[in-house]
Amino acid sequence: MNAEDLSLLNLKQKPDFVETPAVRSLTARAFSYLCAGYPIHFSGPAGTGKTTLAMHVAAQLGRPVALIHGDDEYGSSDLVGGQLGYRSTRVVDNFIHSVMKTEESVAKTWVDHRLTNACKYGFTVIYDEFNRSRPEANNVLLAILEEHLLEMPSGRVNEGYICVHPNFRAIFTSNPEEYAGVHKTQDALLDRMITITVGQYDRETEVEITAAKSGLDHGDAERIVDIVREFRGLGMPQLPPTVRASIMIAKVASMQGAVVRSSDPIFRETCRDVLRIDAIKIIREGAPAAATWLDEIIDRFCPSGKTVPSSRLVAPRGSTANRLVAKGNGLFQPDGNHRREDALPIN
């Protein structure tokens, strides 16, 4: 193996990886598909832990991992390899003292890239956000996943193709096609893999993940998750906050020594920043409303007085739960056609 293999990963299962029944179901299905010889594809919005799941499942396989990140600038050679340099050889013959003979030759050098090495030696490939690469760059995967052959470019000497090692496995992740910088994946490639959709997790899973990643106690993690989930349920016209937002808030609160209460200015400002309140163009009675709604949510779930267990908090009946409708000026306002009793309950 050449120097390119120095970038391989030897993944171990992380002790802080959270396995609730929902997560265990996802990983068990993925692992069984890989053991059967099929590539798997974790698809879903950003922040739902697709890459973490991919690395966890790859660690279970116990093989070296080649990590590839999708890139719009990629071509097939960035996956397979190419002639990326020259080798110069010079021979000086001075056997006869009065005669000097010099021979010099220059040849192109072929360098195998990560996909080729993985196919040759039976490594696991994690192709993260593969649909950020152009579809034509990923065409080389079609024969690998179906015929188990890697067709090599003509520049590689003495090998027109490589038989894929029987231990080779592939794990893909992707974001939705409507995201910026994401390309539509060819149907022929999707047909060769098993897609597992990763969405928003249940409350139990989000609480366990937030507590494990931040070090906060379980009660504070519950309150933060409830704030994010409630804010997500308002239907804001932006990317919905995921468990990643809960982890960010919790980590900052832990590191800054903030108290997870509405009276703590650090905690309140952290929630505003992480949830991107200032970027939300929503009006309520002629004034920006997102910040007010978030403040009401924080006050409800994190009262500054006596602690209220999250399990006792009831679904909102106030204005923060009203559904949002688009107005002609491009902004959003609460829908007056819905009564307070129609408010969405906490998930």
Side-chain angles (χ1 to χ4, degrees), residues 67 106 187 189 198 201 223 252 301 341:
L67 179 61
V106 178
D187 293 338
L189 184 55
V198 182
Y201 294 107
R223 283 181 275 275
V252 173
F301 286 102
E341 290 75 16

Side-chain angles (χ1 to χ4, degrees), residues 108-336:
K108 292 182 178 181
T109 301
W110 177 274
V111 177
D112 287 337
H113 282 181
R114 297 175 188 177
L115 181 61
T116 299
N117 284 327
C119 290
K120 287 170 61 178
Y121 301 110
F123 302 147
T124 300
V125 166
I126 297 178
Y127 196 168
D128 192 37
E129 297 189 6
F130 79 98
N131 56 349
R132 291 193 179 276
S133 300
R134 296 180 181 274
E136 53 267 28
N138 292 330
N139 282 339
V140 66
L141 295 166
L142 297 175
I144 292 175
L145 301 182
E146 183 67 22
E147 289 78 29
H148 304 291
L149 292 174
L150 171 58
E151 185 176 354
M152 302 303 297
S154 57
R156 200 175 195 276
V157 181
N158 298 328
E159 284 187 290
Y161 62 87
I162 293 175
C163 292
V164 176
H165 195 284
N167 289 336
F168 171 82
R169 295 294 184 270
I171 304 174
F172 300 86
T173 74
S174 71
N175 287 327
E177 293 177 1
E178 60 267 22
Y179 280 27
V182 172
H183 298 281
K184 180 177 174 58
T185 303
Q186 55 268 56
D187 293 338
L189 184 55
L190 288 176
D191 188 57
R192 286 163 165 78
M193 59 182 71
I194 297 177
T195 297
I196 299 175
T197 301
V198 182
Q200 307 290 357
Y201 294 107
D202 59 86
R203 182 179 180 275
E204 175 193 0
T205 300
E206 291 190 354
V207 170
E208 294 296 333
I209 292 174
T210 301
K213 297 295 184 182
S214 67
L216 286 181
D217 64 68
H218 200 270
D220 285 343
E222 281 187 326
R223 283 181 275 275
I224 292 173
V225 167
D226 286 338
I227 289 171
V228 173
R229 288 175 65 88
E230 175 69 5
F231 190 77
R232 181 196 308 158
L234 295 179
M236 297 291 184
Q238 64 168 18
L239 181 67
T242 64
V243 68
R244 179 180 291 164
S246 299
I247 295 171
M248 288 180 178
I249 295 171
K251 276 189 173 182
V252 173
S254 177
M255 293 182 64
Q256 295 293 326
V259 180
V260 184
R261 295 292 184 273
S262 60
S263 57
D264 192 305
I266 295 178
F267 174 69
R268 189 179 290 272
E269 290 302 318
T270 300
C271 292
R272 290 173 59 98
D273 292 338
V274 172
L275 297 174
R276 298 182 294 171
I277 293 300
D278 293 335
I280 302 174
K281 297 181 179 180
I282 301 177
I283 59 173
R284 177 187 180 187
E285 298 177 355
T292 301
W293 288 348
L294 178 61
D295 287 341
E296 292 176 1
I297 293 173
I298 294 174
D299 290 339
R300 186 180 332 116
F301 286 102
C302 300
S304 56
K306 183 179 178 180
T307 302
V308 179
S310 297
S311 59
R312 294 177 57 190
L313 293 173
V314 297
R317 296 292 180 182
S319 58
T320 59
N322 290 340
R323 300 171 185 173
L324 305 178
V325 294
K327 299 299 180 181
N329 56 6
L331 301 179
F332 286 72
Q333 290 181 334
D335 186 356

Side-chain angles (χ1 to χ4, degrees), residues 89-106:
T89 303
R90 186 182 185 191
V91 178
V92 178
D93 186 353
N94 196 24
F95 182 76
I96 301 176
H97 184 268
S98 59
V99 178
M100 179 177 290
K101 182 180 179 182
T102 302
E103 293 183 0
E104 188 171 354
S105 62
V106 178

